Amino acid sequence: MTMRASIYRRLARAREQATEQSRPLLRRFHDERDRAGDAADSSDESLARYDRLLAEEAAVCGVPADLLRAVCWYASGWRQFEPSGRTLATPAEHGTRWGCMQLSDHWHPDAFPDAMSDARANVRYAANLLDWLHEQTGSWRKATIAF
C-alpha cells in the first residue's frame, strides 16, 4: 500500500469517527481535485498575499521559499479559512489539522490557539519546524518527508 493510500485510509477512518455535530465545521479534502478546486476559488489578491507571506516567513526562518510554498499548497491550496469564514480544519487520526499549513493540534499543541486564526503564526510555526527538521536530518528532502 502506498503512503498516500495509507493517509487517505486514515482520513476516511477519522471522518467516520467524527461526531455528527462537528461534521459541518470541518473541511475534508478527498483528493487532489478537491484541493485544486478549493484554491482556484481564491482571488488573485488572496493568492498574492499568501505568496508574499510565505516568502517573508521563509526568509525569516531560513527555509527555501519554494519549499514552503509547495508544502503550503499541498496542505491547503494556500487557504487559512474556508469560504464560510471558519478556520480550515481536517480531521486526522490524532487530533485535527488546522490552517494553511495543516498543523496538528495533537503533535504541535504549543502552536495553538494562534495558528488556528492567524495565517502568519501558522506559517511561521511550520517554517521553524521545517528548519529544525532540516537541522536534524541534514536534508531538505528528508525534512519535508518528516514534516
Side-chain angles (χ1 to χ4, degrees), residues 77-103:
W78 292 6
R79 300 201 37 132
Q80 178 75 10
F81 300 101
E82 295 180 14
S84 67
R86 293 186 176 125
T87 300
L88 185 66
T90 306
E93 187 172 348
H94 298 286
T96 301
R97 296 171 195 251
W98 297 93
C100 59
M101 298 302 285
Q102 292 289 277
L103 296 174

Side-chain angles (χ1 to χ4, degrees), residues 31-115:
D31 61 26
E32 284 77 21
R33 289 180 309 225
D34 246 1
R35 272 197 193 106
D38 194 42
D41 290 339
S42 297
S43 67
D44 288 343
E45 178 183 324
S46 174
L47 292 175
R49 187 175 63 243
Y50 272 100
D51 188 48
R52 283 190 306 275
L53 169 69
L54 291 161
E56 290 168 6
E57 294 304 319
V60 167
C61 298
V63 174
D66 287 341
L67 175 62
L68 196 59
R69 286 181 183 111
V71 170
C72 187
W73 181 261
Y74 182 78
S76 68
W78 292 6
R79 300 201 37 132
Q80 178 75 10
F81 300 101
E82 295 180 14
S84 67
R86 293 186 176 125
T87 300
L88 185 66
T90 306
E93 187 172 348
H94 298 286
T96 301
R97 296 171 195 251
W98 297 93
C100 59
M101 298 302 285
Q102 292 289 277
L103 296 174
S104 170
D105 56 8
H106 177 79
W107 298 111
H108 308 290
D110 51 326
F112 295 92
D114 294 340

